[in-house]
Amino acid sequence: MFVDSMLLELLFGVDIDIKRLPSSHPSSPAPMPDHFKIASSWLQQFGKALQTPSIDETVSCIHPDGYLRDVLVFSWNNRCLHGHRKITAYLTNAEALKKSSIANVQLDTRPGLTSEYGRLTDKLPLTAVSAGFTFTCALGFGDGYFSLISTDSGEWKALVVMMALADIKGHEEMGHEEGDYGGHTLAWSDVNNERRKAIETNPDVVIIGAGQTGLNAAARFKQMNISALVVETNPRVGDNWRKRYPTLSLHSPRRINSMLYQSYPSTWPVFTPRDKMADWLEQYVQSLDLVVWTNSRPVPQPVYDSATKRWTVVIDRAGDLVTLHPAHIVVAAGALGAPRIPVIRDKALFSGTTLHSSEYDGGKYFAGQRVVVVGAGNTAADLCQDLTFHGAKSVTMVQRSGTWVVSRSASRVLMERMYPEELPVDVCDIMSMARPLALMKRLNKKSEAQMLEQEKETHRGLREAGLNISSGKDFFVLFYEGHGGFWLDVGCAELIRTGKVKIKQGAEIGSFTEKAVVFTDGSSLEADAVIFATSYEGICGSMRGVFGDAAIDRVGPVYGLDEEGELRGCYRPTGHPGLWFAAGDFSPSRISSKQLALEIKAIELGLLKL
């Protein structure tokens, strides 16, 4: 069992040799603690402190270097507070603890949320007693989760406590219907048509974008009795996937990429291919009875009326202009805006092909050509592999800065541990919410040496080939902070090690000639095609053309992490009333759609004023 001094050294102190920790190579196995008794005792004390309410007693249940993650319980926001001082100040602010009226705190009995004892991470001997719990509050019902660690004195304190509003009393998610309508006198098609007509005429919310993020939000809103119309610029739902490069498949396993309320078949591939995902989203709209207009987009510029608290937005629906007055607009076009293409001198002189990776339709078109791929993230690696397979004469990856490379198989182990097949996805989501990114960054930093050891042969070959391998951040953090800087390897690393893919590192393309690219270090390279795998502009920049400068200037940064390790500007107030952003991969959008729905429902009920 860990003692507090060793834990603090592991988590927060200088680098240490974890082999000397008792739980790493014990001379005799430590007895298994009675985790149910420990969890019950701690939760009884914590629940009493919350209900009293006593800030001092509540905070005393948490480790001095522990975290409190709050989602809409103590404020209308998502916050992650680290350490006693910040937690105390947060709970004291506007009498947050007192006004929350926490009561009926009980251990959760759902499979997967009952108490357990085990490691918090695969690579560090950091053990904890963890369990879920439920509670009531002034607004309704909540879900929580905690992980306890043993201190030097033998007490158990929470390294992490997560508390989230689950439902507003009287406005819970609806669940399934009986399937009989009007006393078995109405046809489903008639009922559905009437519902669609009402939504299309006067929606509470207009969602921009019918990718996984927008559809997760729409599905959640439907269950929360919030009418939502989704507008999608493409001809078909799923085209945002179909239009990407042909060999694309998700690099995270299927469970973590589930959509709300609908699991994949047991025969579904572990890593979902592009076109299967596109078709899945298309059937998802039908299965969940969502209302989506394709070939549709908002016309600049929607106008918000602060008196009526409604937007006037004109939708171009396949050439027909339709005026709507929703209370809310949710921008769910992902965290990505327009393709980012560097401005390079003398581009017009180049006789070859230049395109962004968003326009790439497969390597077969580049057989026999000398191709330069600008970028060194996931997309660039996949394109280089595809180009090599399809017989490009040469392939050169231009790496401008460092890249974090880890095998997809290694990341799969971690993600499947977080989302095991035997547990419901919504249960895994609760546990995921109790892994603050701020804490995971610190844990991953301490386990970095082990990961580097695991990948050392791959990294050595890549370095010898000229690739700059960066470290210090895991791919989760890189994804949330910048949408790049890493790749999960499925074969490109070996192509680089064997010289089939060349590396040009540390310089950018400065100009073109007729048949070559000239780099900023003065060197040049003959080329027939240049593909920019250079990511995308931020979504706020792209939305300026829709909403105008005045509206977007009121919105803070969108995406990336704030100082507490929470997503900026997503699923939380943006600074502009009635304007929201939803972003992130499948898991964040699935989880945080509930927060967004609760905020909108609270505004509708007069509980929240922005």
Side-chain angles (χ1 to χ4, degrees), residues 434-450:
R435 297 184 181 97
L437 282 172
L439 173 61
M440 298 311 295
K441 286 171 66 174
R442 302 173 87 164
L443 291 176
N444 288 333
K445 180 64 178 176
K446 291 299 176 181
S447 63
E448 183 183 314
Q450 290 171 280

Side-chain angles (χ1 to χ4, degrees), residues 432-508:
S432 179
M433 292 173 70
R435 297 184 181 97
L437 282 172
L439 173 61
M440 298 311 295
K441 286 171 66 174
R442 302 173 87 164
L443 291 176
N444 288 333
K445 180 64 178 176
K446 291 299 176 181
S447 63
E448 183 183 314
Q450 290 171 280
M451 199 287 300
L452 289 172
E453 177 66 22
Q454 180 178 325
E455 302 285 345
K456 69 177 183 180
E457 289 303 316
T458 296
H459 287 180
R460 183 176 65 183
L462 290 173
R463 286 193 177 96
E464 289 174 354
L467 194 77
N468 178 12
I469 299 292
S470 65
S471 60
K473 294 182 179 181
D474 67 286
F475 69 89
F476 285 114
V477 174
L478 285 166
F479 177 83
Y480 283 117
E481 289 186 344
H483 259 309
F486 69 92
W487 88 63
L488 302 182
D489 186 59
V490 292
C492 186
E494 182 62 21
L495 296 176
I496 293 172
R497 291 173 65 184
T498 57
K500 294 179 181 178
V501 173
K502 305 293 184 183
I503 298 296
K504 175 63 179 179
Q505 204 282 321
E508 300 186 42

Side-chain angles (χ1 to χ4, degrees), residues 275-544:
D275 295 302
K276 285 187 72 68
M277 179 52 64
D279 293 343
W280 185 256
L281 294 181
E282 196 166 37
Q283 68 78 35
Y284 184 80
V285 171
Q286 298 300 318
S287 297
L288 275 76
D289 307 314
L290 305 181
V291 182
V292 180
W293 287 355
T294 55
N295 281 314
S296 301
R297 59 193 57 79
V299 174
Q301 297 173 357
V303 176
Y304 184 76
D305 187 329
S306 58
T308 63
K309 301 188 184 305
R310 291 269 171 178
W311 290 91
T312 295
V313 55
V314 178
I315 305 297
D316 179 346
R317 187 185 186 190
D320 293 331
L321 300 182
V322 183
T323 301
L324 300 171
H325 300 283
H328 305 272
I329 297 177
V330 176
V331 178
L336 307 179
R340 179 182 292 132
I341 302 176
V343 177
I344 298 175
R345 287 187 295 110
D346 300 326
K347 183 179 178 180
L349 295 178
F350 186 56
S351 62
T353 302
T354 63
L355 70 156
H356 188 265
S357 58
S358 60
E359 304 169 281
Y360 179 83
D361 195 28
K364 59 186 177 182
Y365 301 105
F366 299 94
Q369 296 189 29
R370 299 162 296 183
V371 186
V372 175
V373 178
V374 180
N378 256 333
T379 298
D382 284 353
L383 266 55
C384 287
Q385 187 172 355
D386 186 50
L387 289 160
T388 303
F389 176 78
H390 282 96
K393 183 177 181 180
S394 67
V395 179
T396 302
M397 176 187 289
V398 178
Q399 183 196 36
R400 296 162 295 169
S401 57
T403 305
W404 194 212
V405 180
V406 63
S407 68
R408 186 173 71 176
S409 59
S411 68
R412 175 182 175 179
V413 170
L414 171 61
M415 286 183 274
E416 288 187 338
R417 181 176 180 269
M418 293 169 60
Y419 282 81
E421 291 283 346
E422 63 270 17
L423 292 181
V425 170
D426 59 341
V427 166
C428 297
D429 284 345
I430 291 174
M431 293 188 285
S432 179
M433 292 173 70
R435 297 184 181 97
L437 282 172
L439 173 61
M440 298 311 295
K441 286 171 66 174
R442 302 173 87 164
L443 291 176
N444 288 333
K445 180 64 178 176
K446 291 299 176 181
S447 63
E448 183 183 314
Q450 290 171 280
M451 199 287 300
L452 289 172
E453 177 66 22
Q454 180 178 325
E455 302 285 345
K456 69 177 183 180
E457 289 303 316
T458 296
H459 287 180
R460 183 176 65 183
L462 290 173
R463 286 193 177 96
E464 289 174 354
L467 194 77
N468 178 12
I469 299 292
S470 65
S471 60
K473 294 182 179 181
D474 67 286
F475 69 89
F476 285 114
V477 174
L478 285 166
F479 177 83
Y480 283 117
E481 289 186 344
H483 259 309
F486 69 92
W487 88 63
L488 302 182
D489 186 59
V490 292
C492 186
E494 182 62 21
L495 296 176
I496 293 172
R497 291 173 65 184
T498 57
K500 294 179 181 178
V501 173
K502 305 293 184 183
I503 298 296
K504 175 63 179 179
Q505 204 282 321
E508 300 186 42
I509 298 176
S511 62
F512 286 94
T513 65
E514 182 183 0
K515 296 184 180 297
V517 294
V518 181
F519 294 99
T520 51
D521 63 3
S523 63
S524 63
L525 182 66
E526 292 187 348
D528 301 303
V530 177
I531 303 172
F532 294 99
T534 45
S535 192
Y536 298 79
E537 302 292 342
I539 190 62
C540 272
S542 295
M543 285 295 109
R544 282 189 181 275

Side-chain angles (χ1 to χ4, degrees), residues 213-236:
T213 303
L215 296 183
N216 271 330
R220 184 79 76 178
F221 292 170
K222 181 175 182 290
Q223 286 297 306
M224 298 277 291
N225 197 26
I226 300 168
S227 64
L229 169 66
V230 185
V231 296
E232 167 60 42
T233 188
N234 284 308
R236 293 172 61 189

Side-chain angles (χ1 to χ4, degrees), residues 100-101 103 135-142 165-170 172:
S100 62
S101 301
F135 59 92
T136 61
C137 60
L139 292 170
F141 311 96
L165 181 65
D167 278 304
I168 297 173
K169 188 175 182 179
E172 297 86 353

